[in-house]
Amino acid sequence: MGSTEQEHSSKYQFKAEIKQLLDILVHSLYTSREIFLRELISNASDALDKLRFEITKGSEILDKDIPLEIKITFDEKKKLLTIADTGIGMTKDDLIDNIGTIAKSGSADFLKMIADNKSDAANIIGRFGVGFYSVFMAAERVDITTQSFKPGEKPMKWSSEGLGDFEIVEIEDTIKRGTTIEVHLKEDAKEFAEKYRIEGVIKKYSNFISFPIFLENDKVNNIKALWREPKSSITSEEYNEFYKFLTYDSEEPMDILHASVDAPIQYYSLLFIPKKENEFFRMSREEYGLDLYVRRVLIQHKNKDILPEYLGFVKGVVDSEDLPLNISRETLQENSVFGKISKNITAQVYSYLQKKAKEKPEEYAAFWKEYNRVFKLGYSDFLNADKYMELLRFNSSANEDENGLTSLEDYTGRLQNEQKEIYYALGTSRDSIISSPQLEIFKNKGLEVLFLSDPLDEFVLSSIRKYKDYDFKSIDTADLKSIEKLADKIEKEKPVELSKDDSLQFDSLLSKMKDILKDKVEEVRASERLVDSPACLISPDSSISSTMQRLMRLSNKEIGMQKKIFEINKDHALIRNLLKVFKADSNDKYINLVTDQLFESALLLEGSLEDPHKLVSRLNELLKDSSEWYVEVKKI
Ligand code: ADP
Ligand code: MG
């Protein structure tokens, strides 16, 4: 650089996390290490975007008239690659804060990723806010010279070999605004000082950078704002290339939504739905948002207010004609034009989903499989509640297997006469719900039940409360009186009614069972809902939902499950036999044995039996007895 450096230089240590990161990057050979060039160009482009933003705000700016561009030069002999931009530049404090001493929130996540050795993690380093350091995959030393756009700031030089420390010195010569990064390439990376190699990388990753990139003296990128081009002039390769540029995805998108809207407000939007949910989306909220432009000037990267978070799987760009260029990010939300854009774009995403759900249910099922967890979080978006509900899908008893999907519209289209509620059952899986005794009467009456095996589903239903005029009702708390009246769908022999006297005896048996279980249950009562099972546990009508209870238990182990009602099927053969035993001797110990066993079996089915030891030893005892009777009866 030929600059005379000040005598007193200063050395700084890299932050521990950065040191760890560098250690891995320097010592591993990644197949995708060419991406360091993409990262440096993307930083140059960010710096130019930031400068353009300062210009539109009317800030005072050094070297105001030099063009906004990126220049790449190389020297094969010296194994030197240089990337220069005329962007925002950095002050000494900026250098210290931005490069080396303060770890960004993403760095720990990225370290975890490369430690887990996820598929060439280096390729996606830029997503974690630590893209700059990728340069040390190829460099043995890096020198940054930089001049901040702020008048009065001194030019600086930062140097490092990517080991433990870096150095910052002040430069005496004057330099133009912007940042120049000199990459002194390692012997085995000298290919990055060759023209065809550099050009290839730029074409592959940086074609859509919106500032001109000059390689030596030739402009090598295509700076058109794709979203402003007419759809008919864009090839699907261009769309896909732009998508990959924008998202770092290696696959093509599931869908592309390109719109140019004129009234009532004018904007362009180019949105993409990735095929797969980005695995980092869940890790960091930073990942979601659309890039907001005003008349081609990037105002905000990943704006989080255009689309609600639950539609955050949508990626892309929005460019407004009507917003003021000097709008600050803080006042965006209060701007009525912005509000309209946001509303329109949300509506656009909804109508895309509605169309897919209606016309291509198989594609919608694929979408649902990938994004249902995120989408369901929209339960609190009351403005879009109707559309949101139409897009929800559940597995239900009307589906053949766990892959089947039912919409609320499907469900209500299959309602039985007089049915006013949408029934649902909670459980950990379809299988466990299907085998639960509580479901028996619904099966018997042919009533459809939604199977909620995702804990989020219960939150969704309890916050949307109603679909059209239908309330959601858990099968636990459904009104059995009205269900009883419906005709049976499954032919079964009618059980013999209990005689008057037996009915009284049965009530005493229930009291006896309550005495045995004591305060383990709220009540023991005859069941209206059971068909094939002898007994089950039910939540009292006004009880807090079992999901809430699970949450409460998670936060405080001391809170036990709420006491339940134990229901007994008086028509079950086992209970009829038990009644005989009871009539012969109301204190027979066999009654205790059976009662405890039925109770613990019900707990086990619910997933809330804490200690199975007693259940198993009791069962063994019963089996021993029954084996003796078996031998006797069979005369073996
Ligand atoms: P990210 O770009 O995600 O912020 P990087 O590790 O790529 O993370 O860069 C770290 C920071 O260094 C940037 O946020 C920016 O503040 C600063 N920086 C890097 N390159 C430049 C540049 N060419 N001009 C100005 N600032 C830069
Ligand atoms: Mg970067």
Side-chain angles (χ1 to χ4, degrees), residues 284-556:
S284 115
R285 279 190 80 245
E286 286 309 305
E287 275 292 319
Y288 98 92
L290 301 177
D291 291 347
L292 177 65
Y293 288 76
V294 172
R295 295 189 285 287
R296 292 169 197 261
V297 175
L298 180 67
I299 298 295
Q300 198 182 2
H301 201 51
K302 299 200 171 142
N303 173 290
K304 312 247 181 296
D305 299 310
I306 304 175
L307 281 176
E309 185 169 0
Y310 73 96
L311 300 177
F313 50 84
V314 180
K315 308 287 169 202
V317 171
V318 176
D319 189 353
S320 156
E321 282 295 292
D322 306 313
L323 282 170
L325 260 176
N326 60 356
I327 191 158
S328 81
R329 287 159 201 178
E330 293 70 37
T331 54
L332 258 181
Q333 262 181 293
E334 285 126 47
N335 182 290
S336 71
V337 173
F338 180 77
K340 279 182 197 146
I341 294 178
S342 149
K343 219 171 134 192
N344 261 19
I345 300 223
T346 307
Q348 196 190 335
V349 172
Y350 263 110
S351 62
Y352 149 77
L353 291 172
Q354 282 168 319
K355 190 154 181 253
K356 201 183 189 63
K358 208 175 212 148
E359 292 169 11
K360 298 176 176 158
E362 273 169 29
E363 281 187 18
Y364 188 74
F367 162 83
W368 185 253
K369 186 162 180 241
E370 198 58 33
Y371 294 111
N372 74 82
R373 302 299 317 270
V374 186
F375 182 79
K376 282 175 194 167
L377 297 173
Y379 60 78
S380 54
D381 183 359
F382 299 113
L383 284 178
N384 290 299
D386 289 344
K387 296 185 206 164
Y388 168 83
M389 281 189 248
E390 295 295 349
L391 289 169
L392 289 173
R393 294 293 180 272
F394 304 91
N395 189 244
S396 96
S397 55
N399 295 122
E400 269 170 32
D401 57 32
E402 78 269 14
N403 297 318
L405 293 178
T406 293
S407 69
L408 295 172
E409 193 184 3
D410 295 337
Y411 184 105
T412 50
R414 297 190 280 252
L415 286 182
Q416 297 215 18
N417 297 339
E418 319 236 335
Q419 187 181 342
K420 297 218 171 41
E421 286 164 334
I422 295 175
Y423 299 112
Y424 67 87
L426 306 168
T428 49
S429 67
R430 179 180 164 101
D431 284 346
S432 75
I433 297 173
I434 283 188
S435 57
S436 74
Q438 288 88 334
L439 196 67
E440 287 169 4
I441 186 166
F442 293 86
K443 281 190 211 157
N444 209 31
K445 303 291 182 186
L447 289 169
E448 181 170 355
V449 175
L450 300 179
F451 293 161
L452 310 190
S453 51
D454 175 357
L456 250 179
D457 288 337
E458 199 188 353
F459 282 107
V460 171
L461 295 193
S462 62
S463 47
I464 62 180
R465 315 252 301 271
K466 250 179 192 297
Y467 170 70
K468 297 193 172 152
D469 287 332
Y470 306 100
D471 287 316
F472 296 108
K473 198 79 185 163
S474 154
I475 60 167
D476 264 17
T477 55
D479 174 24
L480 295 175
K481 293 275 172 323
S482 58
I483 294 177
E484 272 282 281
K485 289 185 204 131
L486 299 170
D488 287 349
K489 287 284 146 82
I490 300 171
E491 288 295 321
K492 274 244 165 81
E493 256 179 73
K494 278 259 168 265
V496 188
E497 289 282 319
L498 288 178
S499 68
K500 232 187 181 153
D501 180 50
D502 278 355
S503 274
L504 290 174
Q505 292 283 353
F506 179 67
D507 290 342
S508 316
L509 172 60
L510 295 180
S511 315
K512 167 83 186 174
M513 290 171 105
K514 169 69 178 146
D515 288 344
I516 295 168
L517 294 172
K518 302 210 177 64
D519 50 9
K520 284 187 220 158
V521 294
E522 183 70 36
E523 186 190 342
V524 179
R525 71 180 180 204
S527 181
E528 310 283 346
R529 76 186 76 229
L530 293 173
V531 180
D532 298 317
S533 301
C536 72
L537 283 165
I538 297 292
S539 305
D541 291 31
S542 59
S543 78
I544 26 174
S545 82
S546 44
T547 306
M548 276 317 283
Q549 290 182 49
R550 256 178 268 145
L551 285 177
M552 281 158 66
R553 272 216 301 190
L554 279 181
S555 59
N556 182 355

Side-chain angles (χ1 to χ4, degrees), residues 48 68 77 79 89 124 229 289 322 407 420-421 448 618:
L48 289 161
L68 303 187
K77 281 206 202 90
K79 289 181 284 170
I124 48 162
E229 303 288 314
D322 306 313
S407 69
K420 297 218 171 41
E421 286 164 334
E448 181 170 355
R618 210 183 295 113

Side-chain angles (χ1 to χ4, degrees), residues 2-20:
S3 330
T4 33
E5 285 147 20
Q6 270 203 343
E7 289 157 25
H8 43 274
S9 69
S10 40
K11 283 207 180 246
Y12 299 82
Q13 289 291 311
F14 281 116
K15 167 104 184 170
E17 260 167 0
I18 305 287
K19 237 186 242 180
Q20 255 174 294

Side-chain angles (χ1 to χ4, degrees), residues 43-44 46-47 50 85 88-90 98-99 104 126 129-132 179:
N43 285 348
D46 289 349
K50 287 177 195 160
D85 66 68
I88 199 167
M90 284 178 274
N98 299 337
I99 308 182
K104 297 242 191 86
V130 288
F132 171 77
T179 302

